[in-house]
């Protein structure tokens, strides 16, 4: 993967991690780590990043219905994608390597691995007998196993 492609994938993965972590009990731990990463050693920048991260979490919590939640998620995903991309492009080579490693960790711990499609992933499952799997938003299924269906 070319460096620019990898940086783009990691910026998207970082954004996905922000959104995924915002809905978990690990938010505080994630947001502290992300703020330190974004602050790059500057306490003022770290504080500003923490405020932006908290605004994202608050906006997601405040969304009143699924349509608004999806709109807020899309808006904040783009905001964080741009922010992480800017962080990577502004860094020198050594710092960029460090930042990319941290974004990979964020993606593994809180989002999706860089380069994978965001969203539900099922892997390595074995099913024996009747099975139903549903992924995605706004789905509805009526499942009837057996001959009475």
């Amino acid at each position: 993967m070319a460096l620019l492609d990898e940086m783009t994938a990691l910026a998207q993965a970082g954004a996905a991690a922000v959104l995924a972590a915002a809905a978990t009990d690990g938010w505080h731990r994630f947001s502290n780590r992300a703020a330190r990463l974004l602050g790059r050693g500057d306490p003022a920048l770290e504080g500003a990043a923490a405020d932006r991260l908290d605004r994202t979490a608050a906006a997601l919590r405040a969304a009143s219905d699924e349509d608004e939640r999806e709109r807020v998620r899309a808006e904040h995903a783009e905001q964080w994608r741009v922010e992480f991309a800017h962080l990577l492009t502004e860094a020198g080579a050594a710092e960029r390597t460090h930042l990319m490693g941290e974004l990979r960790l964020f993606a593994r711990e809180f989002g999706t691995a860089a380069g994978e499609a965001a969203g539900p992933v099922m892997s390595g499952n074995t099913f024996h007998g009747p099975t139903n799997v549903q992924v995605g938003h706004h789905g509805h299924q009526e499942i009837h196993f057996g001959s009475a269906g």
Side-chain angles (χ1 to χ4, degrees), residues 14-77:
V18 170
L19 297 176
T24 70
D25 292 337
W27 172 249
H28 184 70
R29 182 172 56 90
F30 173 86
S31 64
N32 285 338
R33 283 174 56 196
R36 277 193 307 276
L37 183 76
L38 291 160
R40 299 167 72 180
D42 181 329
L45 291 175
E46 186 176 322
D51 289 345
R52 290 190 307 279
L53 287 159
D54 286 341
R55 282 195 299 273
T56 291
L60 289 167
R61 282 191 306 271
S64 61
D65 60 32
E66 190 60 32
D67 289 338
E68 183 180 359
R69 202 169 1 270
E70 285 303 313
R71 182 192 57 75
V72 169
R73 285 181 63 78
E75 177 183 312
H76 285 265

Side-chain angles (χ1 to χ4, degrees), residues 71-83:
R71 182 192 57 75
V72 169
R73 285 181 63 78
E75 177 183 312
H76 285 265
E78 179 62 10
Q79 169 191 328
W80 289 108
R81 183 198 64 74
V82 168
E83 182 139 0

Side-chain angles (χ1 to χ4, degrees), residues 101-117:
E102 289 297 311
L103 286 172
R104 280 187 200 92
L105 287 174
F106 286 168
R108 273 190 223 107
E109 291 179 42
F110 297 98
T112 61
E116 293 179 4

Side-chain angles (χ1 to χ4, degrees), residues 37-38 40 82-91 99 103:
L37 183 76
L38 291 160
R40 299 167 72 180
V82 168
E83 182 139 0
F84 286 123
H86 179 75
L87 180 72
L88 291 171
T89 57
E90 293 297 310
L99 295 170
L103 286 172

